[in-house]
Amino acid sequence: NFTNCAAVIPLTFQTNVLTELRKWKLSLIEHHKLEMKQEKEKYAARVRQLCNETENLKELLHTYEISIGRKDEVITNLTQASERQKEKIELMRKFTLWRIQHVKAKQEEYANRIADRQFRTALMKKVWAAWRSLSEEKWKEKVAKACQLRAEDVCVQLTNDYEARIAELTATLEQTKAEILRLHSEREQYEDTMKKAFMRGVCALNLEAMTMFQGK
């Protein structure tokens, strides 16, 4: 009986040990499965987070692209407007210079006519003086007085015409100078307006970009 009991005890012990080993193995397998499940959940959560971040970055990139496109469009429009204004100012400057040259040419032409008329008048006086010295005394005095009066009238008329024409040309020149000053003033005002408009456009774009950044 003792021998039989000794044989049964190791068998029972072995069975218990195998049972414990199977339990331990199952426990390890369950623990491993639980860890794998937790790791998979963490991995899935991380993947979802990265996907959300990627979508947010794509939206932000699209917003940046739209903002940059608008900014480039505004800069292009301002540049084109500035170029058109420069061309307009250049045309106005050329036209003003042409008007000044035209007025100067008229002044020179009129001055030449007056000088030629004065020269002919002086020549006529010299011829008349030479002819008068050959005439008789009384007839010479009568004719001299009449011619002198006529010459004085002609000289007075020429002087009045010359002074009136000079006054007219002077007024035209002053008007042209005032027009040039006005054009320069308009040009400076326009350039200042363009600078302010450009700065306002840049500030508006910066504020819009800042608003989008803060919203994100």
Side-chain angles (χ1 to χ4, degrees):
N1 292 333
F2 178 77
T3 303
N4 292 332
C5 290
V8 170
I9 291 173
L11 181 61
T12 303
F13 178 75
Q14 185 178 1
T15 302
N16 293 332
V17 170
L18 291 175
T19 302
E20 291 296 328
L21 288 174
R22 282 194 297 271
K23 290 182 179 180
W24 183 59
K25 181 180 179 180
L26 292 174
S27 177
L28 287 177
I29 292 172
E30 292 297 327
H31 181 70
H32 179 70
K33 288 182 179 180
L34 180 61
E35 288 183 349
M36 289 294 295
K37 182 179 180 181
Q38 291 177 353
E39 290 296 328
K40 287 182 179 180
E41 291 177 354
K42 290 181 180 179
Y43 175 75
R46 181 59 178 171
V47 169
R48 287 194 298 272
Q49 182 181 2
L50 291 175
C51 290
N52 292 331
E53 292 179 356
T54 303
E55 292 297 326
N56 292 332
L57 290 175
K58 286 182 179 179
E59 293 179 359
L60 183 60
L61 179 61
H62 182 65
T63 303
Y64 285 162
E65 290 176 351
I66 294 174
S67 178
I68 291 172
R70 290 178 181 175
K71 184 177 181 181
D72 292 339
E73 183 179 357
V74 171
I75 292 173
T76 301
N77 293 335
L78 290 174
T79 302
Q80 292 176 355
S82 178
E83 292 296 330
R84 288 194 296 268
Q85 187 62 22
K86 286 181 180 179
E87 292 177 357
K88 182 179 179 181
I89 293 173
E90 183 65 20
L91 291 175
M92 293 175 67
R93 185 182 68 82
K94 290 181 179 180
F95 177 71
T96 303
L97 292 176
W98 175 82
R99 287 182 61 183
I100 294 174
Q101 292 176 356
H102 185 65
V103 171
K104 287 183 178 179
K106 283 187 176 181
Q107 288 179 342
E108 291 178 357
E109 182 182 358
Y110 184 75
N112 291 331
R113 288 202 303 268
I114 295 298
D116 185 60
R117 190 178 298 176
Q118 292 290 341
F119 174 76
R120 285 183 293 176
T121 301
L123 184 61
M124 288 174 63
K125 287 182 180 180
K126 290 181 180 179
V127 172
W128 171 250
W131 178 82
R132 188 178 59 180
S133 63
L134 299 176
S135 300
E136 294 180 358
E137 188 66 22
K138 291 183 180 179
W139 181 81
K140 182 174 63 176
E141 290 177 357
K142 292 180 181 180
V143 174
K145 290 181 180 179
C147 289
Q148 184 176 3
L149 293 174
R150 179 58 181 167
E152 289 176 356
D153 292 336
V154 171
C155 289
V156 169
Q157 183 65 34
L158 290 175
T159 302
N160 292 334
D161 293 341
Y162 179 77
E163 291 177 354
R165 185 58 180 168
I166 290 296
E168 181 181 355
L169 292 175
T170 301
T172 303
L173 181 60
E174 293 297 328
Q175 184 178 1
T176 304
K177 289 180 178 179
E179 182 69 15
I180 292 173
L181 292 176
R182 186 183 66 80
L183 292 175
H184 282 297
S185 177
E186 289 181 357
R187 176 182 177 182
E188 292 176 356
Q189 291 178 358
Y190 181 78
E191 290 179 350
D192 185 60
T193 303
M194 288 297 296
K195 289 178 181 178
K196 291 180 178 179
F198 181 78
M199 291 303 295
R200 285 197 297 268
V202 173
C203 290
L205 288 174
N206 291 333
L207 287 175
E208 184 177 356
M210 185 180 295
T211 303
M212 289 189 292
F213 288 151
Q214 292 176 355
K216 291 298 180 181

